[in-house]
Amino acid sequence: MADWVEAVNPNAEGTMNEPLELTCKVSGVEVTAENIMWISTEPDTDTATMKKVYSVSDDGLTLTIKKFNAKRIGGYKCVVEKDGKTSEGVFEVTLPIVHEDLIEPVEETVNFVEGEDLVLQVNKLEGTITDLTWNVTEKPLLTERTASRLLTRRASAS
């Protein structure tokens, strides 16, 4: 494989609901948009909605994800073919890790009766929550849980 294509921003971080541009740079050969193909390396890419989700610059060197979201995380390639040779730029697109409060408790303090079910609940403030773990005294709980509600059956104080 030839090496005349470079990913300008190979480790791009997207911002939720904002456009994200991925750009390839070609050195040493003249190419047109017809020589350039963009590929998502994620297996579940829906080709039927490609024009709604992505756009490509007139020169073919920039792919724009029109409205970035968690579904667009993953690998992308800018593949350039010229005179029977192929070169590619590889991109890994992520969401930045944000360490801020995305949730708040419905109640700060909950009283419970030992032996009865206990329900704890949080409200989502903003952003995308990809992982939510409930802890009691720094130990993760293994219990029935959903994204914003925790049900502990027959709660005890031990």
Side-chain angles (χ1 to χ4, degrees):
M1 183 174 301
D3 63 354
W4 24 265
V5 174
E6 173 189 353
V8 174
N9 52 333
N11 298 307
E13 286 189 346
T15 301
M16 291 296 288
N17 301 316
E18 296 291 326
L20 175 64
E21 291 185 347
L22 304 177
T23 303
C24 271
K25 178 180 167 187
V26 179
S27 302
V29 293
E30 291 288 323
V31 297
T32 64
E34 288 77 36
N35 301 106
I36 303 167
M37 177 174 47
W38 285 90
I39 299 170
S40 169
T41 60
E42 301 308 306
D44 61 344
T45 301
D46 182 7
T47 55
T49 61
M50 294 287 272
K51 288 189 178 189
K52 290 180 184 177
V53 176
Y54 305 100
S55 66
V56 178
S57 62
D58 290 340
D59 64 6
L61 294 172
T62 301
L63 173 75
T64 301
I65 301 171
K66 294 178 182 180
K67 192 174 181 182
F68 188 78
N69 61 44
K71 291 180 185 176
R72 308 293 166 240
I73 293 172
Y76 294 83
K77 288 183 183 182
C78 167
V79 180
V80 180
E81 292 185 36
K82 177 77 176 199
D83 300 328
K85 295 180 182 170
T86 302
S87 184
E88 61 187 42
V90 179
F91 300 82
E92 188 62 36
V93 175
T94 61
L95 269 171
I97 297 173
V98 178
H99 297 283
E100 60 184 49
D101 292 337
L102 299 176
I103 59 172
E104 66 181 9
V106 172
E107 299 175 77
E108 290 289 334
T109 304
V110 177
N111 294 318
F112 71 96
V113 176
E114 194 161 342
E116 292 187 10
D117 293 352
L118 170 66
V119 178
L120 304 175
Q121 226 169 324
V122 294
N123 289 326
K124 178 179 162 187
L125 298 176
E126 60 180 286
T128 301
I129 299 172
T130 57
D131 187 30
L132 178 64
T133 303
W134 294 85
N135 294 296
V136 174
T137 61
E138 305 303 318
K139 295 180 183 173
L141 290 175
L142 297 175
T143 183
E144 184 179 327
R145 62 185 158 156
T146 64
S148 63
R149 185 171 178 263
L150 171 74
L151 171 63
T152 302
R153 300 219 181 259
R154 296 176 300 283
S156 70
S158 56

